[in-house]
Amino acid sequence: WFRGPISVRHVEIPACPADGVLLRVMATGVCRSDWHGWSGHDSDVISHGLPFTPGHEAAGIVEEIGRDVLSVAPGDAVAVPFILSCGKCCECGRGRPTVCEKQEQPGFTFMGTFAEFVAIPRADRNLRRIPPGVTFAEAAALGCRMSTAYRAVVQQGLWDAVAAFPRTLAVV
């Protein structure tokens, strides 16, 4: 039931999707959205029911790639965005992938990143390699927190209100 006790369980390692990767999760964030899923406020989580693994902002190491994946390889360190866009719908065509009409979301439309391994679809479109010097924790923060703030600022035309500093970003 929603809002029930949270437990840690051993589960099967998920299968790698043809268009995706099997990711070893090295860092994942905790977000208010995870609380909404646990509380039963999200229709995607309700539709597939419990038990369910939350978590949607992650970075990790590619363990396996699907047969259709060209952009990453096993061993690559990658960041995962919260919204896995399709690249084919009207909103993606307008350059608005965070409002993709056919979006997938770890921790909402499929099992999430509060796990050792997660299967991530749409790898070529959505995964990004982590540059040298950026930690897994820093990269995981980009998946939801940073992209949400960025979209809010850009969509509102307030780009002048963003201050960037080495290793940090502040929206003021």
Side-chain angles (χ1 to χ4, degrees), residues 33-34 36-37 42 44-45 48 52 56 82 105-110:
S33 300
D34 298 313
H36 284 291
D42 187 273
D44 289 322
V45 176
H48 52 66
F52 194 68
H56 61 274
F82 172 37
Q105 301 170 340
F108 292 89
T109 60
F110 61 92

Side-chain angles (χ1 to χ4, degrees), residues 17-143:
D19 68 341
V21 304
L22 177 63
L23 186 76
R24 177 184 298 274
V25 177
M26 302 302 290
T28 189
V30 178
C31 178
R32 176 77 173 186
S33 300
D34 298 313
W35 178 85
H36 284 291
W38 171 76
S39 296
H41 298 164
D42 187 273
S43 60
D44 289 322
V45 176
I46 291 170
S47 69
H48 52 66
L50 300 173
F52 194 68
T53 305
H56 61 274
E57 36 192 324
I61 299 170
V62 174
E63 290 287 318
E64 181 182 341
I65 62 170
R67 69 177 179 271
D68 301 331
V69 175
L70 303 172
S71 65
V72 295
D76 284 350
V78 297
V80 180
F82 172 37
I83 305 293
L84 300 174
S85 61
C86 73
K88 299 172 185 167
C89 71
C90 182
E91 293 298 340
C92 285
R94 291 180 183 164
R96 296 169 43 122
T98 59
V99 290
C100 172
E101 296 164 6
K102 298 176 183 175
Q103 61 186 257
E104 295 281 341
Q105 301 170 340
F108 292 89
T109 60
F110 61 92
M111 295 298 204
T113 60
F114 292 177
E116 292 179 85
F117 295 95
V118 63
I120 302 291
R122 301 177 176 173
D124 284 341
R125 172 148 178 91
N126 293 286
L127 296 185
R128 295 295 177 264
R129 284 189 192 90
I130 300 171
V134 176
T135 69
F136 286 110
E138 291 165 339
L142 298 174

Side-chain angles (χ1 to χ4, degrees), residues 146 149-150 159 162-171:
M146 178 57 199
Y150 174 82
W159 186 242
V162 175
F165 304 94
R167 312 293 281 178
T168 65
L169 180 75
V171 177

